Amino acid sequence: MSEFVYPPVIATARTLFRLMGLRFRVEGAEQVPRTGGAVLVSNHVSYLDFIFAGFGAHPSRRLVRFMAKKEVFDNKISGPLMRGMHHIPVDRNAGASSYRAALNALKGGEVIGVFAEATISRSFTVKDIKSGALRMAAAADVPMIPMAVWGGQRLWTKGRPRRLFQRKVAVTILVGEPMHPKRGDDFEKLTKELRDRMTELLEKAQREYPDVPKGDETWWQPAYLGGSAPTPEEAAELDRQDKEIRRSA
């Protein structure tokens, strides 16, 4: 597979982040296999998560092909980049084709990135997740690796103005131990285990995060740590309202 776009994009991102003074902590990167297919499953707190989650695979010299909603590929700016990096569009009206594309990539030895919550979590906790990533890993007979990213919400997240040039923000990327789902497993049970693992990683990232919100910055801290982010219940209601607005548009 030709890689004319992905490496320059990574190099550009690294340069920009260095100029911004972003402080990265990456832990557990050795869990990403250096060869063969794998599914990376990350939480979702910002629009930059695909970049940060991808950084977790860089020490293993792997390029992650993320599954992202079709609208991102339709954009005249992001679309060419996404296609050039061989990410996989997800059309919710034709999900089977996206699944097949990801499965073929996994069998071809690629690393596929999935945000199992589907949308950004406004509460900055792990939302309910679906079993698709587990079933995909089982069908391709590849490991599934839980991840947690934290800090990117301070730069750009749902419902908040973009602050892409905020300096010296800390970004934490934690990679957990692989799971090895197989055909015929109890996927309901495994989905709960995956969510528990993601939650454990995320809470570790949050509790060990070096920065403390000050003044009116408490919005990026989850409610369970004393922040002013919506509770999971409040976030679910906001998501429901968004869906209603989109349906009526």
Side-chain angles (χ1 to χ4, degrees), residues 122 236-249:
R122 298 175 191 257
E237 175 60 21
L238 289 171
D239 287 345
R240 186 194 66 77
Q241 292 174 12
D242 277 356
K243 286 182 181 178
E244 288 296 326
I245 292 171
R246 287 197 298 271
R247 286 196 190 104
S248 60

Side-chain angles (χ1 to χ4, degrees), residues 125 147 185:
T125 61
M147 299 181 69
D185 282 350

Side-chain angles (χ1 to χ4, degrees), residues 182-195:
K182 301 294 181 185
R183 294 177 186 269
D185 282 350
D186 184 339
F187 288 107
E188 182 176 345
K189 179 180 178 181
L190 284 179
T191 300
K192 181 181 183 305
E193 180 183 346
L194 171 60
R195 185 174 183 272

Side-chain angles (χ1 to χ4, degrees), residues 33-235:
R34 289 186 173 270
T35 60
V39 179
L40 300 185
V41 184
S42 175
N43 68 305
H44 203 4
V45 294
S46 88
Y47 291 109
L48 302 175
D49 288 340
F50 74 99
I51 299 175
F52 299 142
F55 275 14
H58 290 175
S60 294
R61 300 183 182 277
R62 304 305 301 274
L63 298 176
V64 183
R65 318 299 178 181
F66 284 94
M67 301 185 74
K69 59 184 181 180
K70 179 178 175 293
E71 289 79 359
V72 178
F73 291 79
D74 293 337
N75 184 277
K76 63 181 180 180
I77 297 174
S78 62
L81 290 174
M82 296 294 283
R83 288 188 289 273
M85 290 184 281
H86 306 293
H87 295 311
I88 299 171
V90 177
D91 185 345
R92 288 170 182 164
N93 296 320
S97 62
S98 303
Y99 179 87
R100 285 195 300 271
L103 192 59
N104 289 336
L106 285 170
K107 291 179 178 178
E110 298 284 352
V111 178
I112 299 298
V114 177
F115 296 107
E117 298 165 282
T119 59
I120 287 175
S121 170
R122 298 175 191 257
S123 67
F124 305 138
T125 61
V126 180
K127 299 166 62 175
D128 289 339
I129 63 175
K130 301 187 182 299
S131 63
L134 281 159
R135 295 179 186 277
M136 190 162 57
D141 193 23
V142 300
M144 195 199 62
I145 304 165
M147 299 181 69
V149 292
W150 183 245
Q153 77 280 5
R154 297 173 63 187
L155 299 169
W156 189 13
T157 192
K158 183 182 289 186
R160 303 292 305 189
R162 278 177 286 188
R163 303 174 68 183
L164 294 175
F165 298 103
Q166 184 180 185
R167 293 183 55 78
K168 298 183 179 180
V169 170
V171 176
T172 301
I173 304 158
L174 303 184
V175 186
E177 294 185 4
M179 299 172 65
H180 298 275
K182 301 294 181 185
R183 294 177 186 269
D185 282 350
D186 184 339
F187 288 107
E188 182 176 345
K189 179 180 178 181
L190 284 179
T191 300
K192 181 181 183 305
E193 180 183 346
L194 171 60
R195 185 174 183 272
D196 288 345
R197 290 198 190 194
M198 292 171 62
T199 297
E200 183 179 356
L201 287 168
L202 178 58
E203 291 184 355
K204 174 180 170 66
Q206 291 168 336
R207 292 184 186 280
E208 297 178 0
Y209 192 65
D211 298 345
V212 177
K214 299 175 182 178
D216 61 355
E217 292 293 298
T218 59
W219 63 265
W220 59 259
Q221 188 84 307
Y224 87 93
L225 287 178
S228 58
T231 66
E233 295 75 20
E234 291 168 342

